[in-house]
Amino acid sequence: MAGSIFGTIFRVSTWGESHGAGLGAVIDGCPAGLPLSQEDIQSWLDRRKPGQSKFTTSRQEGDEVEILSGVFEGKTTGTPIALEVRNKDQRSKDYSAIMNLYRPGHADYTFDQKYGFRDYRGGGRSSGRETVGRVAAGAVAAKILKELGVEVRAFTRSIGPVEISPENFDWDERGNNKLYMPDAQAAKAAQAYLEKLMGECDSAGGVIECRIEGLPAGVGEPVFDKLDANLAKAVLSIGAVKGFEIGEGFKAPLLTGSTDNDEFASETDESGARKIYKKTNHAGGVLGGISDGSPVVFRAAFKPTASIAREQHTVTREGEETPIVIKGRHDPVIVPRAVVVVEAMAALTVCDLLLGSMTSRMDRIREFFRR
Amino acid sequence: MAGSIFGTIFRVSTWGESHGAGLGAVIDGCPAGLPLSQEDIQSWLDRRKPGQSKFTTSRQEGDEVEILSGVFEGKTTGTPIALEVRNKDQRSKDYSAIMNLYRPGHADYTFDQKYGFRDYRGGGRSSGRETVGRVAAGAVAAKILKELGVEVRAFTRSIGPVEISPENFDWDERGNNKLYMPDAQAAKAAQAYLEKLMGECDSAGGVIECRIEGLPAGVGEPVFDKLDANLAKAVLSIGAVKGFEIGEGFKAPLLTGSTDNDEFASETDESGARKIYKKTNHAGGVLGGISDGSPVVFRAAFKPTASIAREQHTVTREGEETPIVIKGRHDPVIVPRAVVVVEAMAALTVCDLLLGSMTSRMDRIREFFRR
Amino acid sequence: MAGSIFGTIFRVSTWGESHGAGLGAVIDGCPAGLPLSQEDIQSWLDRRKPGQSKFTTSRQEGDEVEILSGVFEGKTTGTPIALEVRNKDQRSKDYSAIMNLYRPGHADYTFDQKYGFRDYRGGGRSSGRETVGRVAAGAVAAKILKELGVEVRAFTRSIGPVEISPENFDWDERGNNKLYMPDAQAAKAAQAYLEKLMGECDSAGGVIECRIEGLPAGVGEPVFDKLDANLAKAVLSIGAVKGFEIGEGFKAPLLTGSTDNDEFASETDESGARKIYKKTNHAGGVLGGISDGSPVVFRAAFKPTASIAREQHTVTREGEETPIVIKGRHDPVIVPRAVVVVEAMAALTVCDLLLGSMTSRMDRIREFFRR
Amino acid sequence: MAGSIFGTIFRVSTWGESHGAGLGAVIDGCPAGLPLSQEDIQSWLDRRKPGQSKFTTSRQEGDEVEILSGVFEGKTTGTPIALEVRNKDQRSKDYSAIMNLYRPGHADYTFDQKYGFRDYRGGGRSSGRETVGRVAAGAVAAKILKELGVEVRAFTRSIGPVEISPENFDWDERGNNKLYMPDAQAAKAAQAYLEKLMGECDSAGGVIECRIEGLPAGVGEPVFDKLDANLAKAVLSIGAVKGFEIGEGFKAPLLTGSTDNDEFASETDESGARKIYKKTNHAGGVLGGISDGSPVVFRAAFKPTASIAREQHTVTREGEETPIVIKGRHDPVIVPRAVVVVEAMAALTVCDLLLGSMTSRMDRIREFFRR
């Protein structure tokens, strides 16, 4: 059963392993006529690159993307866009220490159970490197969205117990610190927390928040393909994510109908038209699974990095109990590098549903074909 | 774009509105030879029925299911199973008071934006009654799972601030109280909380937890169709759900690698074989999106019922501001009735991926066709 | 694996058996705001009804369709449209003579092999009655197409060796004879051929031709979802169809490049614009799998009715050889009744791809969302 | 809308243009543990290579395939298999003569209509080179089938009016002549026919027949995903195919029920078991869309090569009428090179449905999970 294809109209198929020849994505269903350059995608990949600070692994990934098809004279042609990143750092390493062991918190055991064997080099397909394909494709989706006035932006909301404070919130600060936190003070506290954990050979998790602005009302399908349902799937499909919430999320059960409902109001815009809006946004931008014109706001909970330098206990493939020590340098927290991955998955989801929303009304379809 | 179809191999298509002729589901891809009776499905539908206590709406729904196809001589035939529930309580009511207003917390506004108009009778397709089709289909999926040793059970974990206590946990108690709480004491406290809210013309939300036991390791697809990703989508697609978490969920970011990782151990079973297991289950039964043999444990956060008797503010379709009072009796909390809906969606998800896992290994495929 | 769902954007799920409670279809993805009445669908079902002449079975099917959801105040709502036809003629018959035998030319043997047992009452899901769901859904697709200026019409091109003659072709004649032939003379000859076969307890096949007019250029997706590829699947999925061809079809290999290529020309229309057209239509309206603005013309070959009154040889489920005589009255030819089925499948295919074509160009997408 | 993805369980996504950087395919859903080497795929690609005789274009394509993912230690891992062929022959040519013209019989006009512009270098995505991805993926599907005892073989049945004769049929001869005809005499006559056409600056079409042997009964899904329906789509999706027929195909309408029905018989095999078979195979191996255990036999009609050296008439993008002469060397017939493409598409279709058939029966599912 195929698990590496995402979307219905704007469809992405990703491939590649941590230590194989490379990774990539094929986008099928991208509209023709979108200006697209290597740089549009590279800038997204650069944001997920490791080696940018002491809190990310020092592996040099390079990660130069090549556009192999679907773009002609600087514009998409409507046919599949193949994106590829060759793995550079593939020297043959010695995996004998772990190839026969199941690392706690990793997918080694489940891959073996599912497939009968596994690519033990750096996690193979279950490695975080798998997200290269997502990010490359997400960059294209985001570019379409931008042309239609929709912006997708995420940030690190918390690392371990250190959370940003709403009053300090500053989008511009996000790029100033390596943790992608829009709050300089919280970023500083989080760095101290991480340094302490590193000293203890331990690792941290965190929460990423994503905000989608400019999305018109009416996007998302009732029942199974709700906007929030598809976002939840997109986000939970990222390795290490253990939770998703939209709007008030897990705080909603602590509210009551009267404090959680968003009342409607209206105002007259410049053109004299009556514009309806919600006075609050507890809902996080969706009602009944359909965008309501407010910003879509959701959060993803990431577990701590599974690879820690500390000795742990596990078993061999044969079931023999044994200690395990995971060598090499690993990110003490993956959250900052995952911010762009969350944006990519959100962009893919919204782009697909936005295109899908074009066929929801006969009046607009009639008008479309009358051209 | 179609939004009412769920699953890849075991596929369900649901239909129906709150006040239309009826509701139903068509299951395509159900294996042949499964014993299936009307009662198998009715018993699930009865659990979502309203009118069972003062905490649920008094509308008498009847909800008798009819199996219209796909079952012959008491067994499924392998061809589509059509399940149907006719709406009985359809007398023509007076909707003039709300047909032109947007109820806060409901999908009235977004349906109008998406479709240009809407079925204003009781919410139409965005009504909670839409779950009739999910539950009917889920009952069939659950029956398949049961035959394969997999059990899906959910319960009310909290209502408002009242949460069950682990030390009181008792599956048997779940059926004893109308709130589906496996803790008699918490149920009592939750009832008091609900009565207070009802007195204030307000409503409550809550959290449902679901546990899936007996699922073999190896179910779920890497990357986009992870078991937890598909569960998240399934659960978020239920109206009023605002959050999903698996295992430690939103608590995972507060742990560290050393406290969140589940170590592996092994034991020798009766047959003398070495059996590998996880000593803890912070992961909630999935590693890398694939089931690991431990129970799958997830939670869903439900917002408070949007329909409250209290006066609220809103606008008309034309954007005129106006007060709104929602008449009729509504559940002050939908969580207890949603327990079976969560079970249904979990069963549909797991059944689909379990069947899908049959094609993951050549050795087993060869053996299958050698018969 | 699910086999009863068709389409990507405009999606149809059909269900029902020959002698079960009924048959139906659920359409998911139908745009909102399409005027739709029971009569729109009934008129299509009436055209596939048996009992209209001595060349069709005398079974009285009634086949009254009920719209159970998705239509409100005479217009589609955008949510699933459930269509249902209850079987009336279900008296319990005696199937003991054939329940254990494999009828030649029928799917009895293959259903048993696939599912381990089968619904032996009248063929169950493999019966021609299965097409009720297709036709009901196709009527809705055709109504959408009509609103967009696209017309789908089919006719009987030949029965056995009797073929219509191009010079006699007359659309109006199609409705005048029970064989749906647009050539009065050929219809007469075909009737004589059928009467002769009936006298010999034998049956006939034939060819249906379908023409789709008004389809704009640009519909169909390159590579796998070509317009002609999807039409071929749609048409071959009708029971008894053994061949599909578009344009010159199987005559194309007998032509050469210079006689098969359609040259382009242009003319100036009323508005003064230059309009490009093909001088000929050997291609049948598709180039590279995409509609070219010419009429789409395809043909389907139907095998002779498998049920014949003549004694045949077969085996029992246990493999014992035995003669078999199929009782009851059967259509000596199904082609005339299948004309509306071909139209339905063509309408479903074209409607799906036409809606899908709306997302092929960024310039049109930008304009759509600028509204 | 995505058109370059094929299959449900064994899913292939292809990409690439005639004169872009390369072409490829990503296979998602390939079972783990299949031995797979570059050579397994290369040998298939070599069969579609041009430049092997004077009847195929002299372009040197090289077409060396690289496996970029999904294979580890010589076996498939269960995760996506990326296959890639870089275009070698990409020197910048002068397309000014045709970039603004619509070549008759090609997709230039329809791509422009659909996408607003097109990659005019050698047809871009509508080029026959697109089949590189199909063939590479088909080689993998065929390898799975071979392990399960299923063999897919096609051959040139006719070129223009020259058809093979059943009495001369010889599989071994197929490889001896450049036309892939299993009849030496017919091959000779076909060569004479082609030489004559080449002298006249013209081109030929032909018919390919494919036979699938060893397929167990029970493969294919009733109603829309019939084995023959899916094969028809697969085959019609190949550029230049204008018709598909299975078994008697377009000859079936000329038979009668008594001459077209295949009677069942039985024999006792070595193990003493009763084996049921059809005495004839007019059906071509499918009954009700499900394989019946006989060889599956189908044919595809190919139109003559559209590119001919002779002067033709056409229009410019602006609609101005103009003569056109297509330069360069082109295959006077593409049929021989398309044989392997037909095999590839048949293998992909059958592999997908064969894997899908594993979930059709509860008894087998129970047994599978009891392991």
Side-chain angles (χ1 to χ4, degrees):
Chain A
M1 192 176 163
S4 290
I5 297 182
F6 187 84
T8 299
I9 290 172
F10 187 92
R11 257 191 174 185
V12 178
S13 176
T14 73
W15 57 272
E17 289 96 32
S18 176
H19 288 68
L23 303 109
V26 179
I27 303 172
D28 192 17
C30 182
L34 178 78
L36 189 70
S37 69
Q38 193 263 3
E39 176 51 28
D40 287 325
I41 298 159
Q42 193 63 50
S43 62
W44 279 61
L45 286 174
D46 287 349
R47 288 169 59 205
R48 76 162 288 291
K49 247 193 231 172
Q52 301 179 21
S53 79
K54 63 180 163 184
F55 303 120
T56 57
T57 164
S58 59
R59 171 174 165 170
Q60 289 303 333
E61 290 188 344
D63 285 358
E64 261 190 58
V65 70
E66 199 181 352
I67 303 177
L68 295 178
S69 68
V71 175
F72 180 61
E73 298 182 339
K75 289 183 298 179
T76 57
T77 59
T79 56
I81 302 170
L83 304 172
E84 184 171 312
V85 170
R86 293 275 172 158
N87 282 333
K88 294 226 169 101
D89 190 16
Q90 298 182 59
R91 30 190 168 142
S92 169
K93 284 172 197 159
D94 183 9
Y95 291 99
S96 55
I98 60 152
M99 61 182 279
N100 203 29
L101 302 186
Y102 294 136
R103 291 170 300 162
H106 282 278
D108 300 346
Y109 175 67
T110 53
F111 266 65
D112 260 12
Q113 287 293 307
K114 183 173 192 70
Y115 297 121
F117 81 119
R118 73 179 195 281
D119 179 350
Y120 45 73
R121 301 166 304 169
R125 184 75 176 147
S126 71
S127 160
R129 252 190 96 58
E130 162 263 311
T131 59
V132 163
R134 301 177 187 247
V135 171
V140 180
K143 184 134 201 229
I144 293 173
L145 291 176
K146 207 170 177 183
E147 292 223 354
L148 303 175
V150 183
E151 191 170 27
V152 176
R153 282 185 299 178
F155 58 86
T156 302
R157 187 181 169 94
S158 70
I159 287 181
V162 185
E163 192 167 353
I164 62 160
S165 143
E167 52 265 37
N168 294 348
F169 190 95
D170 176 10
W171 275 119
D172 292 335
E173 173 59 27
R174 184 179 71 147
N176 290 343
N177 62 78
K178 292 295 184 185
L179 299 179
Y180 259 82
M181 283 182 126
D183 171 348
Q185 213 173 307
K188 219 167 155 187
Q191 292 193 20
Y193 173 73
L194 288 174
E195 275 161 20
K196 182 178 146 286
L197 284 180
M198 286 170 81
E200 296 164 0
C201 295
D202 215 337
S203 65
V207 172
I208 289 174
E209 181 166 311
C210 183
R211 300 186 186 174
I212 305 167
E213 282 167 288
L215 190 64
V219 176
E221 301 299 316
V223 188
F224 299 122
D225 285 314
K226 290 187 160 86
L227 173 56
D228 38 350
N230 283 14
L231 283 170
K233 173 175 174 145
V235 166
L236 259 291
S237 80
I238 303 170
V241 175
K242 302 302 286 184
F244 170 92
E245 59 179 15
I246 188 156
E248 293 289 347
F250 276 88
K251 292 208 184 71
L254 302 174
L255 300 176
T256 63
S258 66
T259 52
D260 185 53
N261 281 349
D262 299 311
E263 294 189 326
F264 290 98
S266 65
E267 60 188 4
T268 308
D269 68 14
E270 320 85 71
S271 70
R274 207 78 163 155
K275 206 181 152 307
I276 294 171
Y277 66 94
K278 283 156 51 206
K279 291 190 221 170
T280 50
N281 192 15
H282 299 291
V286 285
L287 284 169
I290 302 170
S291 63
D292 63 16
S294 301
V296 175
V297 181
F298 69 82
R299 282 169 296 282
F302 284 75
K303 70 173 187 177
T305 310
S307 290
I308 52 176
R310 203 182 274 209
E311 182 180 290
Q312 301 177 85
H313 295 90
T314 191
V315 295
T316 64
R317 289 195 67 181
E318 290 69 39
E320 210 175 324
E321 303 200 348
T322 172
I324 181 172
V325 174
I326 298 166
K327 297 261 173 62
R329 293 182 63 179
H330 296 275
D331 293 1
V333 67
I334 60 142
V335 171
R337 289 179 61 200
V339 167
V340 69
V341 182
V342 168
E343 288 179 359
M345 292 311 298
L348 290 173
T349 305
V350 170
C351 180
D352 193 39
L353 288 172
L354 185 66
L355 294 178
S357 76
M358 291 177 69
T359 58
S360 63
R361 292 170 62 161
M362 273 308 291
D363 52 357
R364 292 181 184 161
I365 295 169
R366 272 185 221 109
E367 194 187 341
F368 182 93
F369 283 108
R370 201 172 294 135
R371 65 163 187 278
Chain B
M1 191 175 165
S4 290
I5 297 182
F6 188 84
T8 299
I9 290 172
F10 187 92
R11 256 190 175 188
V12 177
S13 175
T14 74
W15 56 271
E17 290 95 32
S18 176
H19 288 68
L23 303 108
V26 179
I27 303 171
D28 192 17
C30 182
L34 177 78
L36 189 70
S37 69
Q38 192 265 0
E39 177 50 30
D40 287 326
I41 298 159
Q42 193 62 52
S43 61
W44 278 62
L45 286 174
D46 288 349
R47 288 171 59 206
R48 77 162 288 290
K49 245 192 232 173
Q52 299 178 23
S53 79
K54 64 178 163 185
F55 302 120
T56 57
T57 164
S58 58
R59 172 173 165 170
Q60 290 302 333
E61 289 189 345
D63 283 359
E64 261 191 59
V65 69
E66 198 181 354
I67 303 176
L68 294 178
S69 70
V71 175
F72 180 60
E73 298 182 339
K75 288 184 299 181
T76 57
T77 60
T79 56
I81 302 171
L83 304 172
E84 183 172 312
V85 170
R86 293 276 172 156
N87 282 333
K88 294 227 168 98
D89 190 15
Q90 297 184 60
R91 29 189 170 143
S92 169
K93 284 171 197 160
D94 184 8
Y95 291 98
S96 54
I98 61 153
M99 60 182 281
N100 203 28
L101 303 185
Y102 294 136
R103 291 170 299 162
H106 281 279
D108 300 345
Y109 174 67
T110 52
F111 267 64
D112 261 12
Q113 287 293 308
K114 185 175 189 67
Y115 297 121
F117 80 119
R118 74 180 195 277
D119 179 351
Y120 47 73
R121 301 165 304 167
R125 184 76 176 146
S126 71
S127 161
R129 252 190 95 58
E130 163 263 310
T131 59
V132 162
R134 301 175 186 248
V135 171
V140 180
K143 185 134 200 229
I144 292 173
L145 291 176
K146 206 169 179 184
E147 293 223 356
L148 303 174
V150 183
E151 191 168 26
V152 176
R153 281 185 300 177
F155 58 86
T156 302
R157 188 181 168 94
S158 69
I159 285 181
V162 186
E163 193 167 354
I164 62 161
S165 142
E167 53 265 35
N168 292 348
F169 191 94
D170 178 9
W171 275 120
D172 293 336
E173 173 58 27
R174 182 180 72 147
N176 289 344
N177 63 76
K178 292 296 186 186
L179 298 179
Y180 259 83
M181 284 183 126
D183 172 345
Q185 213 172 306
K188 221 168 150 184
Q191 293 193 18
Y193 174 73
L194 287 174
E195 275 161 19
K196 182 178 148 285
L197 283 180
M198 288 170 80
E200 296 164 358
C201 295
D202 215 336
S203 65
V207 173
I208 289 175
E209 180 166 313
C210 183
R211 299 185 186 176
I212 305 168
E213 282 167 289
L215 189 65
V219 176
E221 301 299 317
V223 190
F224 300 122
D225 285 315
K226 288 187 163 84
L227 173 56
D228 37 350
N230 283 12
L231 283 170
K233 173 175 174 146
V235 166
L236 258 292
S237 79
I238 303 170
V241 174
K242 303 302 287 184
F244 170 91
E245 59 178 16
I246 189 156
E248 294 289 348
F250 277 88
K251 291 209 183 70
L254 303 174
L255 299 176
T256 64
S258 66
T259 52
D260 185 55
N261 280 350
D262 300 309
E263 293 190 326
F264 290 98
S266 65
E267 60 189 2
T268 308
D269 69 12
E270 319 86 69
S271 71
R274 207 76 162 156
K275 208 183 151 303
I276 295 172
Y277 65 93
K278 284 155 49 206
K279 290 191 220 170
T280 50
N281 192 15
H282 299 291
V286 285
L287 284 169
I290 302 170
S291 64
D292 63 16
S294 301
V296 175
V297 181
F298 69 82
R299 281 168 298 281
F302 284 76
K303 71 173 187 177
T305 310
S307 291
I308 52 175
R310 203 184 275 208
E311 183 181 290
Q312 300 176 87
H313 295 89
T314 190
V315 295
T316 63
R317 290 194 68 182
E318 289 71 37
E320 210 174 325
E321 303 200 349
T322 172
I324 181 172
V325 175
I326 298 167
K327 297 261 173 63
R329 294 181 62 180
H330 295 276
D331 293 2
V333 67
I334 60 142
V335 171
R337 288 178 62 197
V339 167
V340 69
V341 182
V342 169
E343 288 179 358
M345 292 311 299
L348 289 173
T349 305
V350 170
C351 180
D352 192 39
L353 287 171
L354 186 66
L355 294 177
S357 76
M358 292 176 69
T359 58
S360 64
R361 292 169 62 159
M362 273 310 290
D363 53 356
R364 292 181 184 159
I365 294 169
R366 273 186 219 106
E367 196 187 339
F368 183 93
F369 284 108
R370 200 174 293 134
R371 65 163 191 276
Chain C
M1 191 176 163
S4 290
I5 297 181
F6 188 84
T8 298
I9 290 172
F10 187 91
R11 261 194 169 181
V12 178
S13 175
T14 74
W15 57 271
E17 290 95 31
S18 175
H19 287 69
L23 304 109
V26 179
I27 303 171
D28 193 16
C30 182
L34 177 79
L36 189 69
S37 70
Q38 194 264 359
E39 177 50 28
D40 286 326
I41 298 159
Q42 192 63 50
S43 61
W44 279 61
L45 286 174
D46 288 349
R47 288 170 58 206
R48 75 163 289 290
K49 244 193 231 171
Q52 299 177 23
S53 77
K54 64 180 162 181
F55 302 120
T56 59
T57 164
S58 60
R59 172 173 166 169
Q60 289 302 333
E61 290 189 343
D63 284 359
E64 262 191 56
V65 70
E66 200 181 353
I67 302 176
L68 295 177
S69 70
V71 176
F72 180 59
E73 298 183 339
K75 288 183 299 181
T76 56
T77 60
T79 56
I81 302 170
L83 304 172
E84 184 172 311
V85 170
R86 293 276 172 155
N87 283 333
K88 292 225 169 101
D89 190 17
Q90 300 183 60
R91 29 188 172 141
S92 168
K93 284 174 198 159
D94 184 9
Y95 291 97
S96 55
I98 61 152
M99 62 182 279
N100 204 28
L101 302 186
Y102 294 136
R103 290 170 299 163
H106 282 279
D108 301 346
Y109 173 68
T110 53
F111 266 63
D112 260 13
Q113 287 294 307
K114 183 174 191 70
Y115 296 121
F117 80 119
R118 75 179 195 277
D119 179 350
Y120 46 75
R121 300 166 305 169
R125 184 74 175 149
S126 71
S127 160
R129 252 189 95 60
E130 162 263 310
T131 58
V132 162
R134 301 175 187 247
V135 171
V140 180
K143 185 134 200 228
I144 293 173
L145 291 177
K146 206 171 178 182
E147 293 223 355
L148 302 174
V150 184
E151 191 169 25
V152 177
R153 283 185 297 178
F155 58 86
T156 302
R157 188 180 169 93
S158 69
I159 286 182
V162 184
E163 193 168 352
I164 61 161
S165 142
E167 53 265 37
N168 292 348
F169 191 93
D170 177 10
W171 274 119
D172 293 335
E173 173 58 26
R174 183 180 72 146
N176 289 344
N177 63 77
K178 293 296 185 186
L179 298 179
Y180 258 81
M181 284 182 127
D183 172 348
Q185 213 172 308
K188 220 167 153 186
Q191 291 193 21
Y193 174 72
L194 287 175
E195 273 161 22
K196 181 177 147 286
L197 283 180
M198 288 170 79
E200 295 163 0
C201 295
D202 215 337
S203 65
V207 172
I208 289 174
E209 181 167 312
C210 183
R211 300 186 186 175
I212 305 168
E213 282 167 289
L215 190 65
V219 176
E221 302 298 316
V223 188
F224 299 124
D225 285 315
K226 289 186 162 86
L227 173 57
D228 38 349
N230 283 13
L231 283 170
K233 173 175 173 146
V235 166
L236 258 292
S237 80
I238 303 170
V241 175
K242 304 301 287 183
F244 170 91
E245 59 178 16
I246 189 156
E248 293 290 346
F250 277 88
K251 291 205 185 73
L254 303 174
L255 299 176
T256 64
S258 65
T259 53
D260 185 54
N261 281 349
D262 299 311
E263 293 190 325
F264 289 99
S266 65
E267 60 189 2
T268 308
D269 67 13
E270 318 86 72
S271 71
R274 205 78 162 153
K275 207 180 151 305
I276 294 171
Y277 66 94
K278 283 156 51 209
K279 291 191 221 171
T280 50
N281 192 16
H282 299 291
V286 286
L287 284 170
I290 303 171
S291 63
D292 62 18
S294 301
V296 176
V297 181
F298 69 82
R299 283 169 295 283
F302 284 75
K303 70 173 188 177
T305 311
S307 291
I308 50 176
R310 203 183 275 209
E311 182 180 290
Q312 300 175 88
H313 296 90
T314 190
V315 295
T316 66
R317 289 195 67 182
E318 290 70 37
E320 210 174 325
E321 302 200 347
T322 172
I324 182 171
V325 174
I326 297 168
K327 298 260 174 63
R329 293 182 62 179
H330 296 276
D331 292 1
V333 67
I334 59 143
V335 171
R337 289 180 61 198
V339 167
V340 69
V341 182
V342 169
E343 287 179 358
M345 292 311 299
L348 289 172
T349 305
V350 170
C351 179
D352 193 37
L353 287 172
L354 185 66
L355 294 177
S357 76
M358 291 177 68
T359 59
S360 64
R361 291 169 64 159
M362 273 309 290
D363 52 356
R364 292 181 184 160
I365 294 170
R366 273 186 220 108
E367 193 188 342
F368 183 93
F369 284 109
R370 201 172 295 136
R371 65 164 188 273
Chain D
M1 192 175 163
S4 290
I5 297 182
F6 188 84
T8 298
I9 291 172
F10 187 92
R11 257 191 173 184
V12 178
S13 176
T14 74
W15 57 272
E17 289 95 31
S18 176
H19 287 68
L23 304 110
V26 180
I27 303 172
D28 193 17
C30 182
L34 178 78
L36 189 70
S37 69
Q38 194 264 0
E39 177 50 30
D40 287 326
I41 297 158
Q42 193 62 52
S43 61
W44 278 63
L45 286 174
D46 288 349
R47 288 170 60 206
R48 76 163 288 292
K49 245 192 233 173
Q52 299 178 25
S53 78
K54 64 178 162 182
F55 302 121
T56 58
T57 163
S58 59
R59 171 171 165 171
Q60 289 301 334
E61 289 189 345
D63 285 358
E64 261 192 58
V65 70
E66 199 182 353
I67 302 177
L68 295 178
S69 70
V71 175
F72 181 60
E73 298 181 339
K75 288 183 299 179
T76 57
T77 60
T79 56
I81 302 170
L83 305 172
E84 184 172 310
V85 170
R86 293 275 171 156
N87 282 333
K88 293 225 168 103
D89 190 15
Q90 300 183 58
R91 23 180 181 149
S92 169
K93 284 174 198 157
D94 184 9
Y95 291 98
S96 55
I98 60 153
M99 61 181 281
N100 204 29
L101 302 186
Y102 294 136
R103 291 171 298 163
H106 282 279
D108 301 345
Y109 174 68
T110 53
F111 267 64
D112 259 12
Q113 287 293 307
K114 183 174 191 69
Y115 296 121
F117 80 121
R118 73 180 196 279
D119 179 350
Y120 47 73
R121 301 166 303 169
R125 183 75 176 149
S126 71
S127 160
R129 252 190 96 59
E130 163 263 310
T131 58
V132 162
R134 302 175 186 247
V135 170
V140 180
K143 186 137 200 226
I144 293 173
L145 291 177
K146 205 170 180 183
E147 292 224 354
L148 302 174
V150 183
E151 192 169 26
V152 176
R153 281 186 298 179
F155 58 86
T156 302
R157 189 181 167 93
S158 69
I159 286 182
V162 185
E163 193 167 353
I164 61 161
S165 142
E167 53 264 37
N168 293 348
F169 190 94
D170 177 10
W171 275 119
D172 293 335
E173 172 58 27
R174 183 180 72 147
N176 289 344
N177 62 77
K178 293 294 186 188
L179 299 179
Y180 260 80
M181 285 184 126
D183 172 347
Q185 213 173 308
K188 220 167 150 183
Q191 292 193 20
Y193 173 73
L194 287 174
E195 275 161 21
K196 182 179 146 284
L197 284 178
M198 287 170 79
E200 297 164 358
C201 294
D202 215 336
S203 65
V207 172
I208 290 173
E209 180 166 312
C210 183
R211 300 185 185 175
I212 305 168
E213 282 166 287
L215 189 66
V219 175
E221 301 299 317
V223 189
F224 300 122
D225 285 316
K226 290 187 161 85
L227 172 56
D228 36 351
N230 283 13
L231 283 170
K233 171 174 175 147
V235 167
L236 258 292
S237 80
I238 303 169
V241 175
K242 304 301 287 184
F244 170 91
E245 59 178 15
I246 189 156
E248 293 290 347
F250 276 88
K251 292 209 183 71
L254 303 174
L255 299 176
T256 64
S258 66
T259 52
D260 184 54
N261 282 348
D262 298 311
E263 294 191 325
F264 289 98
S266 65
E267 60 188 3
T268 308
D269 69 12
E270 319 86 72
S271 71
R274 205 76 162 157
K275 209 182 148 307
I276 294 171
Y277 66 94
K278 283 156 50 208
K279 290 191 223 172
T280 51
N281 192 16
H282 298 291
V286 285
L287 283 169
I290 302 169
S291 64
D292 63 17
S294 301
V296 175
V297 181
F298 69 83
R299 281 168 298 281
F302 284 75
K303 71 173 187 178
T305 310
S307 291
I308 51 175
R310 201 185 276 209
E311 182 181 290
Q312 300 176 85
H313 294 90
T314 190
V315 294
T316 65
R317 288 194 69 181
E318 290 69 37
E320 210 174 325
E321 303 201 349
T322 171
I324 182 171
V325 175
I326 298 168
K327 298 259 174 63
R329 293 182 62 179
H330 296 275
D331 292 2
V333 67
I334 60 142
V335 171
R337 289 178 62 198
V339 166
V340 70
V341 182
V342 169
E343 288 179 358
M345 292 311 299
L348 289 173
T349 305
V350 170
C351 180
D352 193 39
L353 288 171
L354 186 66
L355 294 177
S357 76
M358 291 177 69
T359 58
S360 64
R361 292 171 61 161
M362 273 309 290
D363 53 356
R364 291 180 184 161
I365 295 170
R366 273 186 219 105
E367 194 188 340
F368 183 94
F369 283 107
R370 201 173 294 135
R371 61 162 193 277

